[in-house]
Amino acid sequence: MLPQEFIRVKRDGQKHDRESMHEFLSNYLSGKVADYQVSAWLMASFLKGLDDEETYWLTDEIVESGEKLDLSDVDGIKVDKHSSGGVGDKISLALVPLLASAGLVVSKMSGRGLGHTGGTIDKLESIPGLRTEFSTEEFKDLLRKVGAAIVAQSDALAPLDKKLYSLRDVTATVEALPLIASSIMSKKIAVNSDLVSLDVKLGNGAFITNLEDAKELCRIMLSLGKQFGRRVEIHVTDMNEPLGYAVGNSLEVIEAMDFLKGKVNNRFSALVKQLYVDTLNSVNLPVPDFDKLIASGKPIQKFAEMVQAQGGNPKVIDDYSILPLSKNIFELKADKSGYLDYNNTVEVGMAIVELGGGRTRKEDAIDHGVGIKFFVEGGDKVEKGQVIAHIYYNDQHSLDNALNRLSHSFTIKETESAQRPLIWWSTNSKE
Ligand code: URA
Protein backbone atom coordinates (compact mmCIF):
# COMPACT_ATOMS: atom_id res chain seq x y z
CA MET A 1 0.00 0.00 0.00
CA LEU A 2 1.35 3.43 -0.86
CA PRO A 3 1.93 5.78 2.12
CA GLN A 4 -0.80 8.12 0.92
CA GLU A 5 -3.26 5.23 0.74
CA PHE A 6 -2.37 4.19 4.26
CA ILE A 7 -2.83 7.75 5.51
CA ARG A 8 -6.17 8.00 3.68
CA VAL A 9 -7.50 4.95 5.58
CA LYS A 10 -7.06 6.73 8.89
CA ARG A 11 -8.06 10.13 7.54
CA ASP A 12 -11.39 8.55 6.59
CA GLY A 13 -11.78 7.01 10.04
CA GLN A 14 -11.27 3.43 8.93
CA LYS A 15 -9.29 0.65 10.52
CA HIS A 16 -5.80 -0.32 9.41
CA ASP A 17 -4.77 -3.89 8.88
CA ARG A 18 -1.68 -5.24 10.52
CA GLU A 19 0.29 -5.81 7.35
CA SER A 20 -0.12 -2.27 6.03
CA MET A 21 0.80 -0.81 9.44
CA HIS A 22 3.96 -2.90 9.45
CA GLU A 23 4.80 -1.81 5.91
CA PHE A 24 4.23 1.90 6.61
CA LEU A 25 6.18 2.00 9.87
CA SER A 26 9.08 -0.19 8.78
CA ASN A 27 9.43 1.89 5.63
CA TYR A 28 9.49 4.97 7.84
CA LEU A 29 12.33 3.48 9.89
CA SER A 30 14.33 2.69 6.78
CA GLY A 31 13.75 6.16 5.34
CA LYS A 32 11.35 5.20 2.52
CA VAL A 33 8.42 7.02 4.12
CA ALA A 34 8.98 10.70 4.86
CA ASP A 35 8.52 12.61 8.13
CA TYR A 36 5.74 14.70 6.58
CA GLN A 37 3.79 11.56 5.67
CA VAL A 38 4.10 10.15 9.17
CA SER A 39 3.13 13.55 10.57
CA ALA A 40 -0.05 13.45 8.49
CA TRP A 41 -0.78 9.91 9.73
CA LEU A 42 -0.17 10.94 13.34
CA MET A 43 -2.64 13.79 12.98
CA ALA A 44 -5.20 11.49 11.35
CA SER A 45 -4.70 9.02 14.23
CA PHE A 46 -4.99 11.84 16.74
CA LEU A 47 -8.30 12.95 15.24
CA LYS A 48 -9.84 9.59 14.33
CA GLY A 49 -8.28 7.38 17.02
CA LEU A 50 -6.70 3.95 16.98
CA ASP A 51 -8.66 1.02 18.37
CA ASP A 52 -7.17 -1.47 20.85
CA GLU A 53 -6.00 -3.82 18.13
CA GLU A 54 -4.31 -1.05 16.15
CA THR A 55 -2.71 0.23 19.37
CA TYR A 56 -1.39 -3.26 20.07
CA TRP A 57 0.07 -3.50 16.55
CA LEU A 58 1.65 -0.07 16.84
CA THR A 59 3.18 -0.98 20.21
CA ASP A 60 4.50 -4.23 18.78
CA GLU A 61 6.04 -2.38 15.81
CA ILE A 62 7.81 0.00 18.22
CA VAL A 63 9.06 -2.83 20.45
CA GLU A 64 10.30 -4.83 17.47
CA SER A 65 12.00 -1.78 15.92
CA GLY A 66 14.97 -2.23 18.25
CA GLU A 67 16.80 -4.42 20.70
CA LYS A 68 15.31 -5.85 23.85
CA LEU A 69 16.93 -5.60 27.22
CA ASP A 70 16.96 -8.93 29.00
CA LEU A 71 17.42 -8.46 32.73
CA SER A 72 16.97 -12.11 33.65
CA ASP A 73 20.68 -12.41 34.52
CA VAL A 74 20.33 -9.61 37.09
CA ASP A 75 19.22 -11.06 40.44
CA GLY A 76 16.34 -9.59 42.43
CA ILE A 77 12.86 -8.23 41.85
CA LYS A 78 13.19 -5.68 39.09
CA VAL A 79 10.98 -2.64 38.90
CA ASP A 80 10.80 -0.17 36.05
CA LYS A 81 9.19 3.22 36.56
CA HIS A 82 7.83 5.86 34.21
CA SER A 83 6.00 9.14 34.55
CA SER A 84 3.93 10.72 31.80
CA GLY A 85 5.59 14.04 32.65
CA GLY A 86 4.84 17.03 34.80
CA VAL A 87 6.31 20.15 36.40
CA GLY A 88 8.74 19.68 39.29
CA ASP A 89 8.37 15.94 38.91
CA LYS A 90 11.54 14.65 40.52
CA ILE A 91 9.87 11.50 41.86
CA SER A 92 12.31 9.13 40.14
CA LEU A 93 15.31 10.84 41.75
CA ALA A 94 13.83 10.05 45.15
CA LEU A 95 11.88 6.84 44.58
CA VAL A 96 14.57 4.90 42.70
CA PRO A 97 17.16 4.98 45.54
CA LEU A 98 14.41 4.68 48.16
CA LEU A 99 13.03 1.45 46.67
CA ALA A 100 16.55 0.12 46.09
CA SER A 101 17.37 0.73 49.76
CA ALA A 102 14.30 -1.40 50.60
CA GLY A 103 15.62 -4.30 48.52
CA LEU A 104 14.25 -3.85 45.02
CA VAL A 105 16.31 -3.53 41.86
CA VAL A 106 15.15 -0.38 40.14
CA SER A 107 16.05 0.07 36.50
CA LYS A 108 15.11 3.46 35.21
CA MET A 109 15.59 4.63 31.67
CA SER A 110 14.56 8.23 31.28
CA GLY A 111 14.23 10.89 28.69
CA ARG A 112 15.39 14.47 28.51
CA GLY A 113 13.03 17.36 29.08
CA LEU A 114 11.12 18.82 26.19
CA GLY A 115 8.62 21.66 26.32
CA HIS A 116 7.12 22.34 29.74
CA THR A 117 8.12 19.04 31.37
CA GLY A 118 11.61 18.60 32.75
CA GLY A 119 13.53 15.39 32.14
CA THR A 120 15.01 13.19 34.86
CA ILE A 121 18.22 12.80 32.86
CA ASP A 122 18.72 16.56 32.65
CA LYS A 123 18.14 16.86 36.37
CA LEU A 124 20.60 14.11 37.26
CA GLU A 125 23.21 15.56 34.90
CA SER A 126 23.30 18.63 37.16
CA ILE A 127 25.74 16.55 39.21
CA PRO A 128 29.18 17.24 37.71
CA GLY A 129 30.80 14.25 36.05
CA LEU A 130 27.71 12.07 36.23
CA ARG A 131 27.17 9.93 33.13
CA THR A 132 23.82 8.80 31.87
CA GLU A 133 24.84 7.04 28.65
CA PHE A 134 25.69 3.38 29.24
CA SER A 135 25.88 0.23 27.16
CA THR A 136 23.48 -2.58 27.99
CA GLU A 137 26.15 -4.53 29.86
CA GLU A 138 27.26 -1.46 31.82
CA PHE A 139 23.64 -0.76 32.76
CA LYS A 140 23.21 -4.30 34.03
CA ASP A 141 26.45 -4.01 36.01
CA LEU A 142 25.11 -0.84 37.67
CA LEU A 143 21.97 -2.74 38.63
CA ARG A 144 23.98 -5.68 39.98
CA LYS A 145 26.33 -3.45 41.96
CA VAL A 146 24.01 -0.75 43.28
CA GLY A 147 20.49 -2.07 42.71
CA ALA A 148 19.53 1.26 41.15
CA ALA A 149 20.40 3.14 37.99
CA ILE A 150 18.92 6.09 36.15
CA VAL A 151 20.25 6.18 32.61
CA ALA A 152 19.30 7.77 29.31
CA GLN A 153 16.86 5.85 27.21
CA SER A 154 19.07 3.69 24.97
CA ASP A 155 18.90 4.49 21.25
CA ALA A 156 18.90 0.78 20.61
CA LEU A 157 15.61 0.27 22.44
CA ALA A 158 12.38 1.20 20.66
CA PRO A 159 14.07 3.54 18.14
CA LEU A 160 10.76 3.99 16.36
CA ASP A 161 9.34 5.69 19.45
CA LYS A 162 12.13 8.25 19.39
CA LYS A 163 11.35 9.13 15.77
CA LEU A 164 7.60 9.20 16.31
CA TYR A 165 7.87 11.19 19.54
CA SER A 166 9.96 13.94 17.97
CA LEU A 167 7.37 14.31 15.23
CA ARG A 168 4.48 14.27 17.71
CA ASP A 169 6.19 16.91 19.74
CA VAL A 170 6.27 19.40 16.85
CA THR A 171 2.94 18.51 15.25
CA ALA A 172 0.64 18.87 18.28
CA THR A 173 -0.08 15.15 18.36
CA VAL A 174 1.39 14.21 21.73
CA GLU A 175 -1.92 14.11 23.59
CA ALA A 176 -3.54 11.16 21.80
CA LEU A 177 -4.20 8.35 24.29
CA PRO A 178 -3.31 5.38 22.02
CA LEU A 179 -0.11 7.18 20.96
CA ILE A 180 0.87 7.94 24.56
CA ALA A 181 0.05 4.37 25.65
CA SER A 182 2.05 2.72 22.86
CA SER A 183 4.96 5.13 23.38
CA ILE A 184 5.21 4.51 27.12
CA MET A 185 4.46 0.79 27.08
CA SER A 186 6.74 -0.11 24.17
CA LYS A 187 9.74 1.15 26.15
CA LYS A 188 8.61 -0.85 29.18
CA ILE A 189 7.90 -3.99 27.17
CA ALA A 190 11.35 -3.87 25.57
CA VAL A 191 12.77 -4.46 29.07
CA ASN A 192 11.69 -7.58 30.94
CA SER A 193 11.21 -6.18 34.44
CA ASP A 194 8.96 -7.84 37.04
CA LEU A 195 6.84 -4.77 37.61
CA VAL A 196 6.18 -1.67 35.54
CA SER A 197 5.18 1.21 37.79
CA LEU A 198 3.51 4.03 35.88
CA ASP A 199 2.68 7.51 37.10
CA VAL A 200 0.07 9.21 34.92
CA LYS A 201 0.04 12.90 35.65
CA LEU A 202 -3.35 14.58 35.61
CA GLY A 203 -4.09 18.27 35.67
CA ASN A 204 -3.30 21.69 34.29
CA GLY A 205 0.44 20.94 34.28
CA ALA A 206 0.15 17.64 32.40
CA PHE A 207 -0.69 16.23 28.98
CA ILE A 208 -3.82 14.65 30.46
CA THR A 209 -6.28 17.11 31.92
CA ASN A 210 -9.36 15.07 32.78
CA LEU A 211 -9.88 11.96 34.86
CA GLU A 212 -11.87 10.11 32.21
CA ASP A 213 -8.96 10.36 29.76
CA ALA A 214 -6.54 9.30 32.50
CA LYS A 215 -8.63 6.21 33.26
CA GLU A 216 -8.89 5.37 29.58
CA LEU A 217 -5.09 5.70 29.24
CA CYS A 218 -4.71 3.34 32.23
CA ARG A 219 -7.11 0.87 30.64
CA ILE A 220 -5.14 0.84 27.37
CA MET A 221 -1.78 0.49 29.16
CA LEU A 222 -3.03 -2.28 31.47
CA SER A 223 -4.40 -4.12 28.47
CA LEU A 224 -1.06 -3.76 26.63
CA GLY A 225 0.74 -4.99 29.75
CA LYS A 226 -1.51 -8.04 29.82
CA GLN A 227 -1.05 -8.81 26.13
CA PHE A 228 2.73 -8.48 26.36
CA GLY A 229 3.03 -10.26 29.72
CA ARG A 230 4.07 -7.36 31.97
CA ARG A 231 2.74 -6.77 35.46
CA VAL A 232 1.67 -3.13 35.64
CA GLU A 233 0.82 -0.75 38.48
CA ILE A 234 -0.54 2.68 37.60
CA HIS A 235 -1.18 5.74 39.73
CA VAL A 236 -2.99 8.76 38.38
CA THR A 237 -1.43 11.58 40.36
CA ASP A 238 -2.23 15.25 40.69
CA MET A 239 -0.41 17.74 38.48
CA ASN A 240 -2.45 20.88 39.15
CA GLU A 241 0.51 22.61 40.74
CA PRO A 242 4.28 22.13 40.66
CA LEU A 243 5.22 19.02 42.59
CA GLY A 244 7.29 19.98 45.63
CA TYR A 245 9.20 23.15 46.38
CA ALA A 246 11.68 23.02 43.50
CA VAL A 247 11.39 23.34 39.75
CA GLY A 248 14.59 23.38 37.71
CA ASN A 249 17.42 20.90 37.41
CA SER A 250 19.90 21.41 40.31
CA LEU A 251 17.15 22.60 42.64
CA GLU A 252 15.14 19.44 42.04
CA VAL A 253 18.17 17.25 42.77
CA ILE A 254 18.54 19.13 46.05
CA GLU A 255 14.88 18.58 46.95
CA ALA A 256 15.21 14.86 46.16
CA MET A 257 18.31 14.60 48.38
CA ASP A 258 16.56 16.56 51.14
CA PHE A 259 13.67 14.10 50.89
CA LEU A 260 16.01 11.11 51.20
CA LYS A 261 17.32 12.68 54.41
CA GLY A 262 13.80 13.08 55.78
CA LYS A 263 13.84 16.87 55.48
CA VAL A 264 10.91 17.45 53.13
CA ASN A 265 7.28 17.58 54.14
CA ASN A 266 5.03 18.55 51.26
CA ARG A 267 2.90 17.03 48.49
CA PHE A 268 6.00 15.64 46.80
CA SER A 269 7.22 13.79 49.90
CA ALA A 270 3.70 12.49 50.64
CA LEU A 271 3.38 11.14 47.11
CA VAL A 272 6.77 9.42 47.08
CA LYS A 273 5.96 7.77 50.42
CA GLN A 274 2.68 6.40 49.04
CA LEU A 275 4.34 5.14 45.84
CA TYR A 276 6.99 3.46 47.99
CA VAL A 277 4.35 1.57 49.98
CA ASP A 278 2.23 0.65 46.94
CA THR A 279 5.16 -0.56 44.86
CA LEU A 280 6.45 -2.89 47.57
CA ASN A 281 2.90 -4.16 48.10
CA SER A 282 2.51 -4.77 44.37
CA VAL A 283 5.44 -7.19 44.40
CA ASN A 284 4.30 -8.71 47.72
CA LEU A 285 7.36 -7.60 49.66
CA PRO A 286 7.24 -6.43 53.28
CA VAL A 287 7.24 -2.64 53.57
CA PRO A 288 10.02 -1.39 55.86
CA ASP A 289 8.81 1.44 58.10
CA PHE A 290 9.45 4.58 56.08
CA ASP A 291 10.66 6.79 58.95
CA LYS A 292 13.02 4.12 60.27
CA LEU A 293 14.41 3.49 56.81
CA ILE A 294 15.11 7.20 56.30
CA ALA A 295 16.60 7.47 59.80
CA SER A 296 18.95 4.57 58.97
CA GLY A 297 20.54 6.78 56.29
CA LYS A 298 20.32 3.96 53.74
CA PRO A 299 18.21 5.82 51.14
CA ILE A 300 20.57 8.82 50.88
CA GLN A 301 23.57 6.47 50.89
CA LYS A 302 21.96 4.54 48.04
CA PHE A 303 21.63 7.83 46.15
CA ALA A 304 25.34 8.51 46.75
CA GLU A 305 26.25 5.00 45.57
CA MET A 306 24.18 5.47 42.44
CA VAL A 307 25.82 8.83 41.73
CA GLN A 308 29.30 7.40 42.27
CA ALA A 309 28.68 4.33 40.12
CA GLN A 310 27.54 6.65 37.34
CA GLY A 311 30.71 8.75 37.58
CA GLY A 312 29.36 11.67 39.63
CA ASN A 313 30.75 13.09 42.83
CA PRO A 314 29.00 11.31 45.76
CA LYS A 315 30.05 14.13 48.14
CA VAL A 316 27.16 16.06 46.62
CA ILE A 317 24.88 14.56 49.29
CA ASP A 318 26.74 16.58 51.95
CA ASP A 319 27.83 19.54 49.87
CA TYR A 320 25.12 21.00 47.65
CA SER A 321 27.53 23.70 46.45
CA ILE A 322 28.94 21.03 44.11
CA LEU A 323 25.81 21.59 42.03
CA PRO A 324 25.67 24.54 39.63
CA LEU A 325 23.26 27.16 40.94
CA SER A 326 22.75 30.61 39.54
CA LYS A 327 24.01 33.44 41.77
CA ASN A 328 21.23 35.85 40.85
CA ILE A 329 18.11 35.41 42.91
CA PHE A 330 14.89 37.34 42.36
CA GLU A 331 12.36 37.39 45.20
CA LEU A 332 8.84 36.90 43.88
CA LYS A 333 6.37 38.49 46.27
CA ALA A 334 2.60 38.19 46.59
CA ASP A 335 0.93 41.33 45.24
CA LYS A 336 -2.10 40.81 47.51
CA SER A 337 -3.29 38.61 50.35
CA GLY A 338 -5.28 35.46 49.69
CA TYR A 339 -4.95 31.84 48.66
CA LEU A 340 -2.47 30.69 46.00
CA ASP A 341 -4.28 28.99 43.16
CA TYR A 342 -2.52 27.48 40.12
CA ASN A 343 -4.69 27.63 37.03
CA ASN A 344 -1.98 26.95 34.46
CA THR A 345 0.93 24.95 35.84
CA VAL A 346 2.30 24.42 32.32
CA GLU A 347 3.39 28.07 32.49
CA VAL A 348 5.62 27.30 35.49
CA GLY A 349 7.36 24.70 33.32
CA MET A 350 7.61 27.24 30.51
CA ALA A 351 9.09 29.78 32.94
CA ILE A 352 11.95 27.30 33.44
CA VAL A 353 12.38 27.06 29.68
CA GLU A 354 12.50 30.89 29.51
CA LEU A 355 15.18 30.91 32.20
CA GLY A 356 17.25 28.47 30.11
CA GLY A 357 16.60 25.37 32.23
CA GLY A 358 14.54 23.54 29.61
CA ARG A 359 14.51 23.22 25.86
CA THR A 360 12.14 23.97 23.04
CA ARG A 361 14.18 22.00 20.47
CA LYS A 362 15.75 18.70 21.29
CA GLU A 363 19.24 19.88 20.32
CA ASP A 364 19.14 22.89 22.72
CA ALA A 365 21.71 23.05 25.53
CA ILE A 366 20.30 23.73 28.98
CA ASP A 367 21.40 25.57 32.09
CA HIS A 368 21.22 23.34 35.16
CA GLY A 369 21.63 26.23 37.60
CA VAL A 370 18.44 28.17 36.97
CA GLY A 371 15.08 27.38 38.52
CA ILE A 372 12.40 28.34 40.98
CA LYS A 373 12.23 27.51 44.67
CA PHE A 374 8.75 27.96 46.10
CA PHE A 375 8.10 28.71 49.74
CA VAL A 376 4.36 28.01 49.57
CA GLU A 377 2.24 25.30 47.98
CA GLY A 378 -0.98 25.61 45.99
CA GLY A 379 -3.91 26.43 48.30
CA ASP A 380 -1.68 28.04 50.97
CA LYS A 381 -2.65 31.41 52.42
CA VAL A 382 -0.23 34.20 51.55
CA GLU A 383 0.03 37.78 52.80
CA LYS A 384 0.65 40.78 50.56
CA GLY A 385 4.42 41.26 50.23
CA GLN A 386 5.25 37.72 51.36
CA VAL A 387 8.03 36.04 49.38
CA ILE A 388 6.38 33.26 47.40
CA ALA A 389 9.44 32.04 45.55
CA HIS A 390 13.08 32.58 44.73
CA ILE A 391 13.84 32.65 41.05
CA TYR A 392 17.40 31.66 40.13
CA TYR A 393 18.24 33.40 36.86
CA ASN A 394 21.11 34.49 34.66
CA ASP A 395 19.97 37.58 32.79
CA GLN A 396 17.26 40.20 33.04
CA HIS A 397 15.64 39.35 29.72
CA SER A 398 15.03 35.70 30.60
CA LEU A 399 13.88 36.71 34.09
CA ASP A 400 11.31 39.11 32.60
CA ASN A 401 10.00 36.38 30.30
CA ALA A 402 9.85 33.91 33.17
CA LEU A 403 7.96 36.39 35.36
CA ASN A 404 5.50 36.96 32.55
CA ARG A 405 4.92 33.20 32.31
CA LEU A 406 4.52 32.90 36.07
CA SER A 407 1.98 35.71 36.13
CA HIS A 408 -0.23 33.49 33.93
CA SER A 409 0.34 30.37 36.01
CA PHE A 410 -1.36 31.30 39.28
CA THR A 411 -3.71 33.79 40.88
CA ILE A 412 -4.22 34.81 44.47
CA LYS A 413 -7.86 34.22 45.30
CA GLU A 414 -9.95 35.53 48.17
CA THR A 415 -11.49 32.16 48.91
CA GLU A 416 -9.91 28.82 49.61
CA SER A 417 -10.11 26.20 46.85
CA ALA A 418 -11.29 22.66 47.52
CA GLN A 419 -8.48 20.27 48.49
CA ARG A 420 -7.26 18.08 45.64
CA PRO A 421 -6.18 14.48 46.17
CA LEU A 422 -2.56 13.54 45.60
CA ILE A 423 -3.62 10.33 43.92
CA TRP A 424 -6.75 10.52 41.81
CA TRP A 425 -6.94 6.87 40.95
CA SER A 426 -4.82 3.76 40.97
CA THR A 427 -5.03 0.34 39.43
CA ASN A 428 -2.84 -2.67 38.82
CA SER A 429 -2.71 -5.95 36.98
CA LYS A 430 -3.93 -7.79 40.07
CA GLU A 431 -7.34 -6.09 39.87
N1 URA B 1 5.87 9.95 27.83
C1 URA B 1 6.25 9.10 26.82
O1 URA B 1 7.21 8.37 26.93
N2 URA B 1 5.52 9.12 25.69
C2 URA B 1 4.45 9.89 25.51
O2 URA B 1 3.85 9.81 24.46
C3 URA B 1 4.06 10.76 26.54
C4 URA B 1 4.79 10.77 27.70
Side-chain angles (χ1 to χ4, degrees), residues 209-221:
T209 52
N210 76 69
L211 186 56
E212 286 320 302
D213 282 352
K215 286 185 177 176
E216 174 61 4
L217 179 62
C218 293
R219 186 197 65 75
I220 305 172
M221 294 198 294

Side-chain angles (χ1 to χ4, degrees), residues 82-85 161 165 168 174 179-181 183-184 187 207:
H82 194 87
S83 157
S84 63
D161 177 62
Y165 195 88
R168 287 168 58 208
V174 168
L179 299 181
I180 298 177
S183 165
I184 293 178
K187 289 172 284 199
F207 296 124

Side-chain angles (χ1 to χ4, degrees), residues 37-209:
Q37 292 173 307
V38 178
S39 300
W41 174 71
L42 287 168
M43 185 55 83
S45 303
F46 181 98
L47 296 171
K48 299 293 163 91
L50 296 174
D51 73 10
D52 283 0
E53 210 171 13
E54 291 172 308
T55 307
Y56 171 80
W57 296 334
L58 172 61
T59 310
D60 197 36
E61 287 300 326
I62 302 176
V63 174
E64 295 303 327
S65 69
E67 288 173 10
K68 292 190 195 120
L69 175 55
D70 182 7
L71 295 180
S72 49
D73 52 355
V74 175
D75 289 342
I77 299 178
K78 282 140 286 187
V79 175
D80 196 353
K81 180 201 165 283
H82 194 87
S83 157
S84 63
V87 178
D89 181 6
K90 76 286 291 174
I91 287 185
S92 295
L93 297 177
L95 190 62
V96 169
L98 181 64
L99 287 173
S101 71
L104 289 178
V105 175
V106 198
S107 62
K108 173 83 185 99
M109 284 197 180
S110 293
R112 290 179 192 281
L114 202 55
H116 79 279
T117 65
T120 302
I121 290 301
D122 291 329
K123 294 171 195 180
L124 205 53
E125 283 179 352
S126 304
I127 302 171
L130 186 135
R131 273 172 63 204
T132 54
E133 310 271 343
F134 291 92
S135 70
T136 303
E137 272 317 306
E138 286 174 325
F139 180 50
K140 288 205 229 178
D141 278 346
L142 291 174
L143 294 177
R144 288 190 192 104
K145 211 165 102 193
V146 184
I150 303 180
V151 304
Q153 179 72 41
S154 153
D155 284 345
L157 246 58
L160 180 56
D161 177 62
K162 216 168 201 176
K163 290 192 78 172
L164 291 176
Y165 195 88
S166 9
L167 284 188
R168 287 168 58 208
D169 190 51
V170 292
T171 55
T173 51
V174 168
E175 300 91 339
L177 301 182
L179 299 181
I180 298 177
S182 58
S183 165
I184 293 178
M185 287 305 290
S186 57
K187 289 172 284 199
K188 305 292 113 182
I189 290 157
V191 183
N192 64 344
S193 52
D194 300 301
L195 177 73
V196 175
S197 173
L198 301 173
D199 181 0
V200 172
K201 296 286 178 207
L202 168 67
N204 62 40
F207 296 124
I208 309 282
T209 52

Side-chain angles (χ1 to χ4, degrees), residues 23 290 334:
E23 189 184 352
F290 176 80

Side-chain angles (χ1 to χ4, degrees), residues 115-362:
H116 79 279
T117 65
T120 302
I121 290 301
D122 291 329
K123 294 171 195 180
L124 205 53
E125 283 179 352
S126 304
I127 302 171
L130 186 135
R131 273 172 63 204
T132 54
E133 310 271 343
F134 291 92
S135 70
T136 303
E137 272 317 306
E138 286 174 325
F139 180 50
K140 288 205 229 178
D141 278 346
L142 291 174
L143 294 177
R144 288 190 192 104
K145 211 165 102 193
V146 184
I150 303 180
V151 304
Q153 179 72 41
S154 153
D155 284 345
L157 246 58
L160 180 56
D161 177 62
K162 216 168 201 176
K163 290 192 78 172
L164 291 176
Y165 195 88
S166 9
L167 284 188
R168 287 168 58 208
D169 190 51
V170 292
T171 55
T173 51
V174 168
E175 300 91 339
L177 301 182
L179 299 181
I180 298 177
S182 58
S183 165
I184 293 178
M185 287 305 290
S186 57
K187 289 172 284 199
K188 305 292 113 182
I189 290 157
V191 183
N192 64 344
S193 52
D194 300 301
L195 177 73
V196 175
S197 173
L198 301 173
D199 181 0
V200 172
K201 296 286 178 207
L202 168 67
N204 62 40
F207 296 124
I208 309 282
T209 52
N210 76 69
L211 186 56
E212 286 320 302
D213 282 352
K215 286 185 177 176
E216 174 61 4
L217 179 62
C218 293
R219 186 197 65 75
I220 305 172
M221 294 198 294
L222 269 186
S223 153
L224 288 171
K226 200 168 174 190
Q227 293 175 81
F228 286 96
R230 288 286 175 281
R231 200 186 321 175
V232 180
E233 137 191 290
I234 316 181
H235 292 87
V236 176
T237 69
D238 189 67
M239 185 34 71
N240 284 297
E241 65 179 279
L243 188 63
Y245 72 65
V247 190
N249 299 291
S250 285
L251 286 172
E252 291 193 44
V253 174
I254 292 173
E255 186 173 12
M257 291 190 289
D258 274 349
F259 166 83
L260 293 167
K261 295 175 186 173
K263 290 186 185 169
V264 180
N265 185 13
N266 56 17
R267 284 172 73 84
F268 156 66
S269 62
L271 184 53
V272 181
K273 274 189 219 175
Q274 192 58 51
L275 296 178
Y276 161 78
V277 172
D278 291 354
T279 305
L280 286 162
N281 278 332
S282 286
V283 291
N284 302 318
L285 278 187
V287 184
D289 179 79
F290 176 80
D291 293 330
K292 283 194 191 142
L293 184 63
I294 291 287
S296 74
K298 283 186 192 156
I300 189 68
Q301 278 312 322
K302 190 53 81 180
F303 183 88
E305 275 175 53
M306 186 177 82
V307 167
Q308 184 161 31
Q310 295 191 209
N313 185 347
K315 293 203 179 88
V316 72
I317 65 166
D318 297 315
D319 181 3
Y320 294 171
S321 73
I322 288 173
L323 293 167
L325 207 51
S326 179
K327 297 278 173 290
N328 306 317
I329 299 177
F330 176 86
E331 288 193 331
L332 180 66
K333 293 182 180 163
D335 58 2
K336 58 180 167 180
S337 299
Y339 297 90
L340 190 67
D341 184 59
Y342 285 95
N343 43 26
N344 192 351
T345 306
V346 166
E347 287 297 287
V348 179
M350 291 313 294
I352 300 298
V353 176
E354 298 285 3
L355 290 170
R359 49 175 84 72
T360 47
R361 291 172 313 155
K362 60 181 188 322

